[in-house]
Amino acid sequence: MAIILDGARVAKEIKQQIRKEVADMHAAYYLARPPHLVTILVGNNPASQIYVRNKARDCEECGFTNETVELPEDTTRGKLLNLIVSLNKNQGVDGILCQLPLPEGLDEWAILNAIDPGKDVDCFHPENVGRLTAGRPAFKPCTPAGVMRLLAEYSIPIAGKNCVVIGRSNIVGKPMAQLLTAADGTVTICHSRTENLAAFTRNADILVSAVGRPGLVTADMVKDGAVVVDVAMNRGLDGKLCGDVDFDTVQEKASYITPVPGGVGPMTRAMLMENLFKAAMR
Ligand code: NAP
């Protein structure tokens, strides 16, 4: 039976540690004020509203201040860009986060490009993506960084291991593969066009699934003793949150496994807080 990679516990500890460091830095006059995050929420996407509320709660737990700018669904590109320009200039703002997805018609690429790379705590700006590729990250993308931290917390070795990442999105799959490569893993990326997915996953010592399809990863696709990380967050037919991995059967074969919820999700949020603290210290 696999050991559960308890992201909720680890994330809580990370946030407590950040809170202490913020207080120490403030007491030592390295920080004149608490780190400040501005989140921009455009439109009424219910999932986005929950994510934004959670981030605000995380900020409070870490001793940070935060503000959410809510804009209507029909916000123009010009108005959004003007807001970002003013936040870029505002020295009281350390991190700017534009909650995705944006309503149809708003060009995400243009909007993310406009954020000052030094305040880009999501690590989506091309400069930060490039720095990551070059092995000189300013910030690390929150979800893959959360996975790496979780593996480290459980002393799971990566060097020389066969790592298979299912999914190649800019937000999760690609940077996940980069971080595993940087940690000396031998990395394979699979995606929707991969032929015979199971042939790859069965070879994985560390399997990371980031697709968004409940039941995609079944026990027969997993090697005995593999470490299985489920990034996905789906709603199952019963309405409950679930990942890509058939948890009940796969946990019988894996050595370590993340639950959904309580695995990668809280780690992603904790890494955002680390990035914000880093942005403020810079
Ligand atoms: P995405 O942009 O939709 O990417 C999904 C990836 O899965 C694509 O690369 C796609 O391949 C691949 N894929 C689709 N069907 C497949 C199949 N049958 N076999 C193999 N690969 C397949 O999604 P995302 O933004 O990366 O997010 C992935 C999942 O993670 C979602 O469930 C999302 O909710 C979750 N997520 C969780 C967190 C967290 O904090 N826990 C953070 C971000 C995202 P192609 O490239 O060929 O289309």
Side-chain angles (χ1 to χ4, degrees):
M1 192 68 99
I3 294 171
I4 303 294
L5 295 168
D6 188 350
R9 174 187 62 76
V10 174
K12 192 172 168 197
E13 288 167 7
I14 290 170
K15 286 189 280 182
Q16 283 168 346
Q17 180 62 27
I18 293 174
R19 188 180 181 91
K20 186 178 170 308
E21 282 178 37
V22 169
D24 289 349
M25 288 296 168
H26 190 54
Y29 300 107
Y30 285 118
L31 269 179
R33 53 164 179 76
H36 186 66
L37 176 71
V38 175
T39 304
I40 305 167
L41 176 61
V42 189
N44 309 310
N45 182 320
S48 293
Q49 287 168 336
I50 294 172
Y51 293 142
V52 168
R53 273 205 300 276
N54 286 341
K55 285 166 192 166
R57 201 179 316 133
D58 291 333
C59 282
E60 282 153 26
E61 282 178 36
C62 290
F64 301 163
T65 53
N66 73 93
E67 183 187 343
T68 302
V69 181
E70 292 189 43
L71 298 173
E73 189 90 16
D74 60 357
T75 298
T76 60
R77 170 187 165 126
K79 187 165 180 201
L80 190 49
L81 288 174
N82 280 340
L83 170 65
I84 291 172
V85 169
S86 75
L87 294 171
N88 285 344
K89 285 190 200 143
N90 186 339
Q91 296 200 349
V93 175
D94 301 301
I96 305 167
L97 193 155
C98 193
Q99 185 65 45
L100 302 180
L102 289 170
E104 233 171 88
L106 281 175
D107 177 359
E108 279 183 7
W109 178 249
I111 302 302
L112 297 177
N113 270 351
I115 294 175
D116 177 344
K119 298 186 179 188
D120 169 40
V121 285
D122 258 339
C123 195
F124 292 163
H125 190 283
E127 182 178 317
N128 286 326
V129 174
R131 291 182 69 106
L132 181 73
T133 305
R136 309 287 293 267
F139 302 112
K140 287 186 182 159
C142 300
T143 300
V147 172
M148 297 302 285
R149 177 65 78 83
L150 197 53
L151 297 177
E153 287 288 332
Y154 284 82
S155 305
I156 292 170
I158 298 169
K161 301 295 177 193
N162 283 333
C163 307
V164 174
V165 179
I166 320 178
R168 57 174 167 179
S169 70
N170 290 335
I171 293 174
V172 189
K174 280 184 209 161
M176 186 73 253
Q178 283 174 321
L179 292 182
L180 288 165
T181 304
D184 296 327
T186 304
V187 182
T188 305
I189 305 179
C190 299
H191 46 76
S192 68
R193 306 295 295 273
T194 299
E195 288 179 12
N196 198 355
L197 180 64
F200 293 93
T201 60
R202 277 191 208 114
N203 197 31
D205 302 307
I206 299 174
L207 176 61
V208 180
S209 189
V211 173
R213 256 183 78 169
L216 177 75
V217 178
T218 47
D220 59 311
M221 295 168 69
V222 174
K223 179 172 160 179
D224 273 324
V227 176
V228 179
V229 177
D230 196 347
V231 174
M233 283 205 284
N234 312 305
R235 286 272 166 212
L237 292 174
D238 56 3
K240 287 189 184 154
L241 268 185
C242 65
D244 292 338
V245 175
D246 184 4
F247 183 88
D248 290 341
T249 55
V250 172
Q251 72 166 334
E252 302 283 343
K253 271 184 106 174
S255 56
Y256 293 88
I257 190 167
T258 55
V260 179
V264 178
M267 292 301 296
T268 298
R269 290 164 53 187
M271 293 300 101
L272 177 68
M273 296 299 108
E274 278 207 349
N275 280 350
L276 183 62
F277 187 33
K278 198 170 178 186
M281 291 304 292
R282 290 164 88 221

